[in-house]
Amino acid sequence: MAIALLSLRQAEKVEPQLRAALKGQTSSKPTASDLAQAGLSARERLALREGSPADAAAALNARQYVQQIIAKDRELTRSQMIWALGRIEPGEIEAMLKSLAKMRGRYASLVLEYSQTERPIGKQALEELRGLRERIEEFERGLETIKTAILDGNAEVDGVKSARL
């Protein structure tokens, strides 16, 4: 039982039920409605419940369940970002920005070059443009992901104070 998650006031509300359960005076565990009447939050009710995740999810309303999904997603994303990125060197970011700038410049020069010709653009030239545009979009998305990770405290940059304290 996870009584440590409860405030003193909340623990006083459920203490008689817990004592009875520990002494074996009641054969059944507290129901979701019993715990809800005790004024516990969804997280606290889950901490007191034993059983399968499906049973725990059934005690929540849709909004509470989605909030738990969002929290779990943030937690897993944070741990994976920290594991995958490690500590980022500022030089790595600068190299990525230079590469992205070169791709943008190359794309713009190709579009300008192809727009000056009177003949139709060939399939190979069109594929080159498309491939370059897709690489630029992927790099831009990657850059946004890294910036968001830095601001959210999911990534650390050498020499930069963390956003989360």
Side-chain angles (χ1 to χ4, degrees):
M1 303 245 164
I3 297 175
L5 294 176
L6 303 176
S7 69
L8 181 58
R9 188 170 145 256
Q10 293 163 333
E12 290 172 351
K13 291 179 181 180
V14 294
E15 186 178 2
Q17 292 174 346
L18 293 175
R19 278 194 188 153
L22 290 173
K23 290 181 182 179
Q25 292 175 351
T26 58
S27 59
S28 64
K29 59 187 174 190
T31 65
S33 62
D34 293 338
L35 294 174
Q37 289 172 357
L40 301 176
S41 70
R43 180 168 285 173
E44 292 156 341
R45 288 194 311 269
L46 283 176
L48 291 174
R49 288 179 59 98
E50 294 177 10
S52 70
D55 293 338
L60 302 175
N61 66 33
R63 185 179 56 78
Q64 292 167 329
Y65 185 66
V66 169
Q67 286 173 341
Q68 286 189 345
I69 291 171
I70 292 168
K72 187 67 170 178
D73 179 43
R74 283 186 191 136
E75 175 187 326
L76 291 172
T77 298
R78 177 175 167 69
S79 67
Q80 285 300 308
M81 291 294 275
I82 289 171
W83 178 83
L85 293 174
R87 191 169 195 87
I88 302 171
E89 295 290 328
E92 292 176 295
I93 301 287
E94 189 172 326
M96 187 176 82
L97 292 173
K98 284 180 182 178
S99 178
L100 181 57
K102 283 181 184 178
M103 284 188 282
R104 287 175 178 151
R106 176 76 178 139
Y107 181 78
S109 79
L110 283 174
V111 169
L112 189 59
E113 179 184 326
Y114 294 141
S115 68
Q116 300 298 317
T117 64
E118 293 295 321
R119 62 176 203 252
I121 298 173
K123 189 173 184 174
Q124 185 177 2
L126 196 56
E127 287 297 319
E128 181 183 10
L129 275 175
R130 183 177 294 122
L132 194 52
R133 180 181 41 83
E134 289 172 355
R135 281 185 294 224
I136 290 169
E137 288 171 358
E138 289 302 322
F139 266 68
E140 288 172 341
R141 285 183 184 169
L143 179 61
E144 286 304 312
T145 300
I146 291 170
K147 289 189 307 189
T148 301
I150 292 168
L151 290 174
D152 290 346
N154 295 338
E156 294 180 4
V157 180
D158 226 10
V160 177
K161 290 182 183 178
S162 178
R164 283 195 181 169
L165 296 177

